[in-house]
Amino acid sequence: MSSAGREVLLGVGGGIAAYKACDLVRRMQDHGFLVTVVPTPASLNFVGKATWEALSGRPVLTQVWDDVPSVAHIRLAEVSDYIIIAPATADLIARLAQGRADDLLTNVVLASGAAKLVVPAMHPEMWNDPATQTNVEILRQRGFLVLDPEVGRLTGNEIGAGRFPETARILESLHEISGTHADLLGKRILVTAGGTREPIDPVRFIGNRSSGKQGFAIAQAAIARGAIVHVIAANCPDLDLEGAQITRVETTAQLGDVLRNDFSDCDVLIMCAAVADARPSSVPENKIKKDKLAAIELVPNPDLLLEMSALKSSGQVIIGFAAETENLLENAKEKLTRKNLDILYVNDVSRGAVFGSDHTKGSILLRSGEVIQISEASKDTLANVLLDQLL
Ligand code: CTP
């Protein structure tokens, strides 16, 4: 299941760790979640409404009285797929355990059947107090996932159990309750998608049939599995994705510039784009008249995949793609070795198959020599099979 487009309601309690929840909003958005923030009135002493509105890009309410006609508690309860309460103070945990409905957040929690994650943060004395422990037990019995706070430095000079956990741990728990597998959590994945175009003159170009669907399917699957994804999209204006950084390029030179800049920071490069192997040697300012179009002189483009694999550090993984119409495995094996790849997916594009389609067929070749046949699969399925192999 993908996290992209899933609705998370973030309830913020009145503890100093509220400032750490600001980063949590950003990271959840990176993972494709759509976030609405409902702070308790007390929490606004630490982080104001404007901050939450700016971060989430959505209006922020704290009381059922703020916008009566919208019946906010029921509306939010209906649309939220998950509720995270972070930080949860001793008071907020007590109110939740009692089933009180004295602000917007506690109203929504009562009205919602969504999976709920509670992230407590408070001083150790308050966390260890039997009243808090009983309240936590009640919530756990009701199916709330309540994280144990971490041990560490607290406000003042105290050290003990009560610290707000690292954002990554909260995200892992969110993926746990949301049924998405976060096996690529925090991995930086650079995906190229689409096909580059090389201008012949201001009107015409040399291009290819790649639609970008496979690259975007991989990006989407990687986001859902917790990765931080950057898509370099070559000429796929109709494709978009929430939760990923997208850089749009046209030519091989532009694609190369972005790759050279970003490759060293990524854990994985997935080179799905069809890169034009050559470009016109010169591009005139004006349109070439048809009687002068008998021949176009071409110069080769650099092989970007080869260039990146030469720069590859030991922790990095590179997946290449190939499009073949004959001698699939033979050509693919040669490319895997020559380009020093970890994995290569070879598309069988004979008779125009694959391009623009939602389906693909071909073979995955691994460095070990193993070959996995993909007889006919959706591009989403192939995306996940490739990510499994990369792991
Ligand atoms: N590729 C690249 N730069 C190029 C050409 C290709 O980075 N100038 C990458 C593609 O993104 C793909 C892989 O190399 O991941 C295979 O591309 P393909 O065109 O199939 O192979 P080539 O090595 O160009 O060989 P040929 O065209 O002769 O089949």
Side-chain angles (χ1 to χ4, degrees):
M1 194 198 304
S2 158
S3 49
R6 310 225 106 210
E7 288 282 346
V8 176
L9 185 139
L10 173 67
V12 182
I16 176 62
Y19 84 91
K20 294 186 175 172
C22 298
D23 179 52
L24 180 61
V25 174
R26 275 281 179 260
R27 299 291 80 79
M28 288 194 288
Q29 290 167 333
D30 287 346
H31 287 232
F33 291 105
L34 302 172
V35 186
T36 302
V37 185
V38 180
T40 64
S43 77
L44 297 180
N45 289 307
F46 287 113
V47 179
K49 216 165 139 173
T51 300
W52 298 123
E53 289 190 335
L55 286 172
S56 68
R58 292 178 164 188
V60 167
L61 308 176
T62 56
Q63 295 285 14
V64 276
W65 315 115
D66 286 349
D67 183 7
V68 175
S70 77
V71 201
H73 61 305
I74 301 302
R75 181 178 49 82
L76 289 171
E78 278 171 3
V79 300
S80 301
D81 296 305
Y82 317 104
I83 296 181
I84 301 189
I85 298 165
T89 58
D91 175 66
L92 183 50
I93 290 172
R95 289 191 290 128
L96 292 171
Q98 284 195 1
R100 297 190 60 146
D102 43 13
D103 56 17
L104 180 58
L105 176 59
T106 46
N107 271 275
V108 177
V109 171
L110 276 186
S112 160
K116 298 175 189 92
L117 171 65
V118 176
V119 187
M122 64 196 75
H123 276 78
E125 296 80 3
M126 296 173 82
W127 171 250
N128 289 322
D129 188 279
T132 305
Q133 287 301 311
T134 305
N135 289 334
V136 166
E137 202 40 52
I138 290 171
L139 291 182
R140 284 179 172 154
Q141 278 166 12
R142 285 194 204 135
F144 289 63
L145 177 63
V146 184
L147 298 189
D148 283 326
E150 285 181 0
V151 178
R153 186 164 160 234
L154 301 153
T155 342
N157 287 326
E158 235 175 302
I159 291 184
R163 244 173 94 85
F164 192 71
E166 292 302 316
T167 305
R169 186 169 156 227
I170 302 172
L171 279 170
E172 246 172 79
S173 306
L174 172 60
H175 281 287
E176 205 178 296
I177 64 164
S178 66
T180 55
H181 23 211
D183 49 10
L184 289 172
L185 192 69
K187 294 281 175 225
R188 296 188 171 272
I189 301 193
L190 190 55
V191 184
T192 66
T196 58
R197 287 180 184 172
E198 304 299 342
I200 297 169
D201 65 15
V203 180
R204 309 175 181 96
F205 60 83
I206 296 174
N208 60 68
R209 291 177 186 277
S210 178
S211 65
K213 283 184 179 176
Q214 185 62 72
F216 273 78
I218 292 170
Q220 170 102 54
I223 293 169
R225 293 168 74 153
I228 299 164
V229 179
H230 180 184
V231 184
I232 313 175
N235 306 299
C236 14
D238 298 336
L239 298 177
D240 208 352
L241 195 56
E242 281 204 60
Q245 179 190 348
I246 300 183
T247 305
R248 298 196 183 266
V249 297
E250 185 187 357
T251 62
T252 304
Q254 290 165 354
L255 177 60
D257 286 346
V258 185
L259 269 179
R260 286 180 200 109
N261 204 37
D262 283 30
F263 177 69
S264 61
D265 284 339
C266 78
D267 298 300
V268 182
L269 169 65
I270 305 181
M271 195 70 190
C272 196
V275 182
D277 288 314
R279 64 182 188 282
S281 56
S282 62
V283 184
E285 231 169 83
N286 297 316
K287 187 180 159 191
I288 306 172
K289 289 309 211 183
K290 55 177 166 286
D291 53 347
K292 304 249 164 54
L293 255 183
I296 302 165
E297 193 190 51
L298 298 177
V299 289
N301 271 330
D303 189 315
L304 300 175
L305 186 54
L306 197 63
E307 195 181 314
M308 295 307 118
S309 75
L311 301 172
K312 183 178 133 170
S313 66
S314 59
Q316 289 180 305
V317 174
I318 300 188
I319 303 184
F321 274 66
E324 300 286 351
T325 51
E326 56 185 356
N327 304 329
L328 251 68
L329 285 182
E330 211 177 296
N331 289 338
K333 271 181 195 149
E334 185 275 324
K335 270 181 201 170
L336 181 88
T337 316
R338 179 166 49 87
K339 299 201 184 189
N340 187 26
L341 306 175
D342 298 290
I343 302 172
L344 181 115
Y345 177 67
V346 53
N347 274 298
D348 178 356
V349 292
S350 50
R351 291 175 296 282
V354 179
F355 291 118
S357 160
D358 291 328
H359 288 80
T360 179
K361 69 175 180 170
S363 305
I364 299 174
L365 278 77
L366 307 181
R367 207 185 245 282
S368 62
E370 198 186 328
V371 176
I372 302 165
Q373 292 293 346
I374 305 289
S375 50
E376 178 78 37
S378 73
K379 290 184 173 173
D380 294 334
T381 302
L382 175 70
N384 276 302
V385 175
L386 282 173
L387 296 179
D388 289 342
Q389 290 307 320
L390 116 79
L391 277 164

